[in-house]
Amino acid sequence: MVRAITILTGLTLLACACTTQAFPTQQAVPGGLVIIPVAKQSQAAPLAYYAGQRVTIVPHQGEWLALVGIPLDAKPGPQQLEVASAGQQETISFAISHKSYRTQRLRLADHNTVEPDEASSARIIQELALQKRLVRQFSEQEAQTEFIRPVAGRDSGRFGLRRILNGHQRQPHSGMDIAAASGTPVRVAASGRVIYTGTLFFSGQVVYVDHGGGLLSMYAHLSQIHVQQGEMVTQGDLLGLVGKTGRATGPHLHWSVYLNGAAVNPALFLQKGN
Ligand SMILES: [Zn+2]
């Protein structure tokens, strides 16, 4: 069965106060997320896949909703969600529109983090593979979708910026940068389990937290890490301190949010005014 849905902009039914959890804001663009009703809650929770990745399903007002993360490199136009529910397979079509992200030019003095040498390149390739595995993690717990801002500070680099580093085009910005003094406490955005802590070439001292259902967050450039791999954490817990480890122009928190393996705009998970 194939069904097509039209995405309403500013979908208001999801802003309802009758749910225990706040929902992220829908934005049907590359780097955004799309919320799609997939089954009645009287049925067992269906399985849903987008671009081969399992998608998180959350209950809301008698329905199961799929929260589909759209990668920054997705092409605007028709997209498909595969749903398996009560022994039936269904393809749901939806559309995403174009979004133009701004360009940011940065200058960095540390030559090796801009044009890594051979030894660093081998390390970077390994770490990219590791990070890809981490963000594709899917655990069965219901996703904790209500986030708090992990650090107080000024927004210094929006999600999706097309970056030009010392004149060279780099990957678009996969997170949100929040500038704050070194040593400022960084808080866990939502409850979950720490699945990785370590030091990476670009990200510096980093923590990954699994919030369930393929929803993860990542905190980079920390000067100190205060949690351990495998630890369960609660929203607001002290995770570490702001720093400038790895490739950073100054002390700030780089905060990324991943849904079904795709980096999506963290701002969509924050309530207005947060
Ligand atoms: Zn950043």
Side-chain angles (χ1 to χ4, degrees):
M1 187 168 83
V2 176
R3 115 177 117 99
I5 65 149
T6 309
I7 294 159
L8 307 168
T9 37
L11 206 64
T12 46
L13 80 142
L14 302 168
C16 164
C18 40
T19 174
T20 50
Q21 272 204 67
F23 272 78
T25 304
Q26 171 164 268
Q27 205 175 57
V29 298
L33 62 97
V34 176
I35 303 171
I36 301 174
V38 286
K40 293 265 174 273
Q41 221 182 305
S42 50
Q43 298 173 17
L47 293 179
Y49 295 85
Y50 170 69
Q53 288 295 305
R54 188 152 163 209
V55 165
T56 196
I57 301 283
V58 288
H60 179 77
Q61 293 190 299
E63 284 192 301
W64 294 109
L65 302 178
L67 304 186
V68 188
I70 310 296
L72 269 168
D73 62 1
K75 267 179 59 185
Q79 307 283 322
Q80 294 190 323
L81 181 72
E82 306 294 336
V83 182
S85 172
Q88 286 206 328
Q89 300 279 343
E90 186 184 16
T91 301
I92 300 177
S93 301
F94 63 98
I96 56 166
S97 24
H98 172 78
K99 179 172 165 82
S100 60
Y101 289 100
R102 285 206 207 142
T103 298
Q104 183 185 39
R105 287 166 206 280
L106 292 170
R107 288 219 74 82
L108 267 175
D110 181 358
H111 182 72
N112 195 38
T113 61
V114 180
E115 290 294 326
D117 60 25
E118 220 169 288
S120 303
S121 298
R123 178 183 168 191
I124 290 163
I125 289 167
Q126 275 190 354
E127 291 180 356
L128 285 176
L130 164 74
Q131 287 174 290
K132 210 169 189 178
R133 276 203 308 279
L134 289 170
V135 302
R136 288 182 172 179
Q137 179 117 345
F138 190 99
S139 52
E140 296 295 334
Q141 294 95 310
E142 189 180 314
Q144 299 300 304
T145 56
E146 187 170 336
F147 281 22
I148 57 164
R149 200 178 162 84
V151 69
R154 176 179 63 83
D155 287 0
S156 60
R158 284 192 183 174
F159 173 85
L161 285 169
R162 286 131 47 110
R163 287 192 148 168
I164 300 177
L165 203 55
N166 297 6
H168 302 281
Q169 179 98 43
R170 289 292 178 262
Q171 292 288 318
H173 192 215
S174 60
M176 168 195 276
D177 287 345
I178 306 169
S182 281
T184 305
V186 176
R187 307 271 169 201
V188 180
S191 299
R193 193 168 70 90
V194 176
I195 58 163
Y196 182 82
T197 67
T199 304
L200 304 177
F201 185 82
F202 287 129
S203 306
Q205 293 207 78
V206 69
V207 175
Y208 282 82
V209 180
D210 177 355
H211 304 293
L215 175 63
L216 293 100
S217 61
M218 177 267 221
Y219 309 78
H221 309 306
L222 302 169
S223 59
Q224 280 182 33
I225 294 176
H226 286 218
V227 290
Q228 288 185 348
Q229 201 164 309
E231 188 179 335
M232 298 301 295
V233 285
T234 302
Q235 183 177 62
D237 280 357
L238 179 66
L239 175 143
L241 305 179
V242 169
K244 54 170 187 171
T245 54
R247 187 173 75 186
T249 50
H252 73 281
L253 176 71
H254 168 100
W255 179 42
S256 284
V257 174
Y258 296 89
L259 249 185
N260 49 269
V264 295
N265 188 353
L268 300 176
F269 284 79
L270 295 174
Q271 302 306 299
K272 289 205 171 65
N274 204 328

